[in-house]
Amino acid sequence: MRALVNDAVRQAVVAPPSPDALAYHRALAGYRPTPIRDLAHVAEELGLAFVGMKDESSRLGLPAFKVLGASWATERILESRPEVRTLVAASAGNHGRAVAHVAALRGLRCRIFLPARASGVRRAAIEAEGAEVIVVEGDYEDAVAAASAAGAEEGVVEIADVGTSAGARWVIDGYATLFAEVSAQGRFDVLVVPIGVGSLGAAAARYAASTGAKLVGVEPVTAACLTASLAAGTPTSVATPGTTMAGLDCAEISATAWPTLRDGVHGTVTVSDGEVEAAVRSLADHGFAIGESGAAPLAALRALAAEEECAALRGVIGLGRRARVLLVATEGPTGVS
């Protein structure tokens, strides 16, 4: 399915964004709002009023937005569990590196569980943060199960961005900082956001509902778990043979994120590895170093604006000459091979 319209969308019932993490993030060394890049060439190409790209290629010393959720979840957990000495997490790359980075800053040990198909480059980046990397024979969901089991050990806590734990809720709250910055940077009619397990999408849905913007989720065609779940009306697993969009290579949507996504996303668009690689090159030609998961929204927007398969969703979100669109580019180049 190229594009899906979510007939169940009910923005009026979506909870507002949590303001709790913003002051904490502002107090961190090196904090600054990430910029919105003016993609004037894309707006001209597609006949839109404005296309901006929230550039998360440099966030608190890391090449991805994930540290916002990892740092806030860790802060909240340690408030009630000061005896914790080790953080664990499952990851396809960016979340694990963020958890490892936060652990090092706080003088904690860290173990990160990666699926077998995670790239060597991503493994090395996590190890460079001082974490122990454990490669799990299986997919991302197998790594999640292993991290969850490790989190039950004495003195250990899991920093998860998936599931039903308090940590998963706090990760979503941490991502609200990204959208609080957007509020001060401009007004947008349409947001196009990568989904993965859905935590960033849930934060985006809360922001969109609070402003009246329309939200489109982007997934790899080979890992479209939100698309399948919206079509079925219930969380649905999909087979995931792999994708260069490593951060979006997820078979299941997070149980914590699902209700907000169900009510707050207007639709989804799926994109191929080839389309995303073309988007990476296109952005590089204009001076922007963005990774595959981060470039997925540009690939999706091009499909949305031009393809007949996307016509229904295009009409629902009002994608026309007056539309102001924000793409969330979640990562810089992080290595997929």
Side-chain angles (χ1 to χ4, degrees):
M1 185 179 297
R2 177 58 137 176
L4 176 139
V5 173
N6 179 22
D7 293 326
V9 65
R10 301 182 301 158
Q11 281 187 308
V13 305
V14 173
S18 170
D20 296 343
L22 182 59
Y24 169 78
H25 287 137
R26 283 175 169 168
L28 294 177
Y31 170 79
R32 70 179 188 281
T34 55
I36 291 180
R37 311 294 189 185
D38 184 350
L39 301 187
H41 67 288
V42 177
E44 181 178 2
E45 169 196 340
L46 302 180
L48 303 171
F50 179 81
V51 177
M53 180 179 73
K54 182 69 165 164
D55 184 352
E56 293 292 316
S57 62
S58 179
R59 171 69 81 171
L60 289 169
L62 295 177
F65 75 103
K66 292 280 192 175
V67 68
L68 292 174
S71 62
W72 180 239
T74 300
E75 172 69 10
R76 291 302 308 271
I77 287 169
L78 293 181
E79 286 175 357
S80 60
R81 294 190 58 189
E83 79 283 0
V84 166
R85 293 293 175 265
T86 302
L87 305 184
V88 299
S91 179
N94 287 333
H95 177 66
R97 186 174 179 183
V99 173
H101 186 77
V102 170
L105 289 175
R106 304 197 71 138
L108 302 171
R109 293 185 292 272
C110 186
R111 279 180 277 154
I112 301 299
F113 295 82
L114 295 181
R117 63 180 173 230
S119 74
V121 173
R122 289 175 181 257
R123 174 176 177 169
I126 294 168
E127 290 174 331
E129 299 289 345
E132 176 189 2
V133 172
I134 300 170
V135 177
V136 176
E137 289 304 321
D139 56 19
Y140 171 75
E141 284 65 36
D142 294 312
V144 168
S148 179
E153 298 170 11
E154 185 176 354
V156 179
V157 69
E158 181 189 12
I159 306 298
D161 63 351
V162 63
T164 59
S165 68
R169 297 194 299 273
W170 289 327
V171 163
I172 294 173
D173 291 344
Y175 294 157
T177 290
L178 186 159
F179 296 102
E181 294 171 359
V182 170
S183 292
Q185 292 171 314
R187 178 193 63 79
F188 299 95
D189 305 302
V190 178
L191 307 180
V192 186
V193 178
I195 294 299
V197 296
S199 296
L200 178 66
R206 292 175 181 176
Y207 167 75
S210 73
T211 64
K214 304 296 193 298
L215 176 61
V216 175
V218 184
E219 299 185 289
V221 68
T222 56
C225 57
L226 178 59
T227 301
S229 298
L230 292 174
T234 190
T236 301
S237 298
V238 297
T240 53
T243 169
T244 61
M245 293 166 271
L248 307 182
D249 189 14
C250 305
E252 300 175 0
I253 211 71
S254 169
T256 294
W258 164 247
T260 301
L261 293 168
R262 178 196 59 212
D263 295 334
V265 173
H266 290 80
T268 59
V269 175
T270 61
V271 293
S272 70
D273 285 358
E275 289 169 323
V276 165
E277 288 158 6
V280 168
R281 293 192 297 270
S282 173
L283 289 168
D285 288 343
H286 288 83
F288 305 119
I290 301 297
E292 285 77 8
S293 295
L298 175 56
L301 180 63
R302 284 177 163 149
L304 262 173
E307 294 185 8
E308 183 59 30
E309 289 177 273
C310 300
L313 181 55
R314 185 163 61 241
V316 166
I317 64 175
L319 192 67
R321 298 196 62 82
R322 295 184 179 181
R324 293 177 56 84
V325 180
L326 180 68
L327 313 178
V328 179
T330 50
E331 63 175 14
T334 54
V336 296
S337 62

